[in-house]
Amino acid sequence: MMERFTVIPVHIDTHPESDGVRPAASDPEVPLRTAVPQTIELKEARKLSTGHGDENHPFLNNVSDAKGNELCDKNLALYEEELDVRPKVSSLLSKLVNYTNLPQGSREHEEEEQMGGQSRKKVLRAPRMGTMMGVYLPCLQNILGVILFLRLPWIVGTAGVLQALLIVLMCCCCTLLTAISMSAIATNGVVPAGGSYFMISRSLGPEFGGAVGLCFYLGTTFAGAMYILGAIEILLKYMAPEAAIFHSSDAADDTSAMLNNMRLYGTIFLTFMALVEFVGVKFVNKFASLFLACVILSILSIYVGVIKSAFHPPTFPICLLGNRTLSRHQFDVCAKTIVEGNTTVATRLWELFCNTTDLTTDTCDNYFVYNNVTEVQAIPGLGSGILKDNLWSTYKEKGAFLEKPFVAAVDAWPKENMNFYVLTDITTSLMVLLGIFFPSVTGIMAGSNRSGDLKDAQKSIPVGTIFAIVTTSLVYFSSVVLLGSCVEGVVLRDKFGDTVNKNLVVGILSWPSPWVIVIGSFFSTFGAGLQSLTGAPRLLQAIAKDNIISFLQVFSHGKANGEPTWALLFTVLMAECGILIASLDMVAPILSMFFLMCYLFVNLACALQTLLRTPNWRPRFKYYHWALSFLGMSICLALMFISSWYYALLAMFIAGMIYKYIEYQGAEKEWGDGIRGLSLSAARYALLRLEEGPPHTKNWRPQLLVLMKLDDSLHVRYPRLLTFASQLKAGKGLTIVGSVIKGSFLENVAETQAAEQTIKNMMDIEKVKGFCQVVIASKVREGIFHLIQSCGLGGMKHNTVVMGWPYGWRRNEDPRSLKIFIDTVRCVTAAHQALLVPKNVSFYPSNHERYLEGSIDVWWIVHDGGLLMLLPFLLKQHKVWKKCNIRIFTVAEMDDNSIQMKKDLKKFLYHLRIEADVEVVEMQSTDISAYTYERTLMMEQRSQMLKQIRLTRAERMREAQLIKDRHSLVRMGSLYSDEEECTETVETIQMTWTKERCEKEKEYRGRSHFGDLMSLKPNQSNVRRMHTAVKLNEVIVERSHDAKLVLLNMPGPPKNVDGDENYMEFLEVLTEGLERVLLVRGGGREVITIYS
């Protein structure tokens, strides 16, 4: 008896202590039998909401709600069964609001160190940095640096003001256009800390992301080396020259000694910086503001000095001998002689050029004798009009004199005392200067790298980055013009300040003292090096954590607080390579290449996403266009080859190698990248083009549909079919592997997925490049027909079907396997497609075998499009069959001219450009042998016997079904109480089992099933067919018994379905005694041509 329950409203206490369920014992008003079911129901609901909701969404943090999600909402009852995987909008929004984007960099590491290891639980703080502190100032600090103080005056003096402005314009346009593209990408959703690498990899895919990410890493690492070399140059040239350890024995050339000093001190500085990084990155972050202040104060001192020079230019005289500039630190007085008392005496300059103080000597340098010594001011001032002299370029070869134009001088030979002059240290050109200057505009990624620290990254990154680029561009443009307007040209071209007594050129212009620039530039350069060595290891760690480059996995680990220790050590080693180069001018073009490549792909990513119009491309930054991105990409590419074509090729080679490595390893990442969208668009365009018409005979190649049979465990039955397909295709064209599972689609979806995965794994093992398609059908034959009709898309459809041989069809009384095979042959023929049936496929060679000798024999019996000629040629492209020879046999009747046939066939093969041996086999017209007659008789007797057996079995099943139906109808009739309905049922039975049918059944049962088999006479048509099969088999076995593969025409199936068993018997006789046979049936069109 069913229990009666009384429904009583229950108040559910949502207090946290009760976890949303009030215990039954705490409420005396609620009966136990009512409270317990309610509690169980809520527990089940909570289990539904939390226990099975472990599907990860890309935009949700999988943190369980403290109060629990009540899924059984009366307003959402229609959706309650799916709320575990499709949450309510309120739950989604609450999790999105609570989403915090913590940086992967220094901030959380700093918190870990401050906690002292007492608790490893991270304190999640909301980002608080705005546009000024988070983007603008960091970009300013990274852009302005060593090149501005050490190389910009030299670039202005060498290239001239006009070309220097062109260099600055090209570089600034490149970075500005890149910043616009970067802003569009950065505002297209949340960008985690990772900066440009994250943006490129998620926009262009793991292959491009890994390649460009490593290039960006190398650029950042070499930037650190460049900053260290700049700091050492400031130290040894301008701050403490006496600190040099290595000295050259040849005073005329101290280049090698200086390089060794740079290497030694650079290694010391690099080691010190690495120790600072290893101890704690918080020191770098705390001193970042100090380093930035040094940069700003140094630039301001230059501007103040320029303004002061307009009214009171500083006194820094330079000395010229003729038009050649002299190195001022070796003498004090710029004159040949001076008057002391009433006596003219030689100066230190006379002593240097004459090697004596005797004024009457004739051993002086000829150029010194014939030219006068003059003294000019290094800083004429803003109103001096020196700008017109500095407009044009003055490019020199290495070792050339630094000469002032428009000054009269007498040239003299031989050239001696070279160490007293200021000489150019490298050969200069616009391309060289461009490569050296470009690193001074890099650093625009500093804002995007800090996206995790920003309060509103999608607003701050575009505004801060673009304004930082505009500010620094104004600084560079104004510096070029002001330096050209204030400083003497030969002083600008003096890279190391030898003309002004070893002072920094911009230092003598600054106010109040040159030491402001020297000290400020040293600390700013040192700080920029620290920043580079801070960011590079974290970038390498981010690449390693993505697991797209397997050999970088070791760099994904670090200290307990996440500091990338191993990545830092590797970065130090890479930076040491840059230190060992020891030349700022040689390191700068290297990192220019890597940064330019990174910027190029940022522009490419934005242009690609814009043109493809992907649904997820919705940037908040609206001031972008694909044309601007393409322009920026073109400028980046042009700058790479203009500055240094060999470095550009080297950078592209490195990126290409990394790309191919990731592609070869198979990056199992799906980031919704633009390359995939581009591939889809290109595929769509190509498919539409293929729809315009059928392929030309010259472009025809077998596009395979491989019908694969699976066993009961969903394992591939004959994997050598895939091996044969891979050898035939060699990675070219289309290959589709299809299979059929019998059953209902709704009940066998999981089996379909398992079967597809099994086939894909086998395709990977056999190196078959193609697609897999598994269909579910109520009948296997219907499923195969569907595959033949519908596989492929548009013009990219298969034209050749590969299927296995139905082994054991003779032993199997069930005719279904036989019918499936022959019906498939009929279907392929009706679809005008080619058919390949490898027989004894288990004996076919694997991909690891090599045939060093042997032949591929082609038995060309009938012409059906030339497929028999094309297949051996395609097989020989594979390494397995490469050493095999092709032999072509054709059959001649008695009335054929076999000699002429051989000549014609050789000529045909010559025009086809196929090398093969030709042989014409003459078939003698002999009488039908007794063996053939007996073989035909046995075939027909067996066919008739199998037919009788199947009829007997079918009859037994029909009788059993009739008895069962009659019993069911009688039982149903006994349930009725109405006599009229029962009568109608009996009449129905009599209508089904009529008198005529009963007589026919008795006649059939009284007839003998097997009595007529012994008196059966074979059909003459079958005898003739058997005769042909036997004679051809004898000839083929005689000549091709040792062939590695035999190809021959496959006869067509009979039009009458009653002859299916006979057809299979003919094929068995035709291929008897051959180890490897490929039956080929053309599709009814020409597939090979003699024309080019």
Side-chain angles (χ1 to χ4, degrees), residues 25 179 211 239 280 326 506 633 703 863 991 1006 1009:
M239 294 181 69
L326 297 176
V506 291
M633 186 175 63
Q703 316 290 2
H863 179 66
M991 290 176 63
H1009 297 303

Side-chain angles (χ1 to χ4, degrees), residues 179-196:
I180 293 174
S181 300
M182 183 194 69
S183 300
I185 299 174
T187 57
N188 187 50
V190 178
V191 178
S196 59

Side-chain angles (χ1 to χ4, degrees), residues 1011-1026:
D1012 297 333
L1013 292 180
M1014 302 305 296
S1015 60
L1016 184 67
K1017 291 184 178 181
N1019 186 285
Q1020 290 302 315
S1021 176
N1022 289 337
V1023 172
R1024 288 187 291 103
R1025 289 188 175 93
M1026 182 63 73

Side-chain angles (χ1 to χ4, degrees), residues 870-904:
L870 185 62
L871 288 177
F873 171 78
L874 295 176
L875 283 174
K876 276 178 62 67
Q877 308 305 309
H878 197 272
K879 56 188 177 182
V880 173
W881 306 92
K882 195 173 186 65
K883 300 293 183 180
C884 294
N885 299 321
I886 301 176
R887 297 193 303 177
I888 298 180
F889 299 88
T890 187
V891 177
E893 300 290 342
M894 290 300 298
D895 54 349
D896 294 329
N897 188 344
S898 59
I899 298 176
Q900 186 63 36
M901 282 181 64
K902 187 172 183 178
K903 291 181 180 179
D904 294 342

Side-chain angles (χ1 to χ4, degrees), residues 638-656:
L639 289 177
M640 288 178 66
F641 283 93
I642 288 174
S643 58
S644 179
W645 63 268
Y646 44 89
Y647 280 149
L649 293 178
L650 178 62
M652 288 184 172
F653 175 76
I654 294 174

Side-chain angles (χ1 to χ4, degrees), residues 363-439:
T363 60
C364 293
D365 182 84
N366 290 335
Y367 190 84
F368 179 78
V369 172
Y370 295 133
N371 290 278
N372 296 323
V373 176
T374 57
E375 193 175 55
V376 297
Q377 286 297 321
I379 312 290
L382 192 59
S384 63
I386 197 68
L387 177 63
K388 63 182 180 179
D389 295 334
N390 294 331
L391 286 177
W392 313 110
S393 62
T394 311
Y395 296 118
K396 297 284 187 179
E397 297 290 332
K398 181 180 179 180
F401 294 105
L402 202 61
E403 298 174 339
K404 180 177 173 59
F406 312 115
V407 174
V410 178
D411 202 3
W413 295 90
K415 295 183 178 180
E416 300 175 348
N417 300 310
M418 303 291 289
N419 55 317
F420 303 144
Y421 301 102
V422 180
L423 306 176
T424 57
D425 62 330
I426 61 172
T427 301
T428 55
S429 64
L430 178 67
M431 297 183 292
V432 172
L433 299 183
L434 191 60
I436 294 175
F437 177 77
F438 186 80

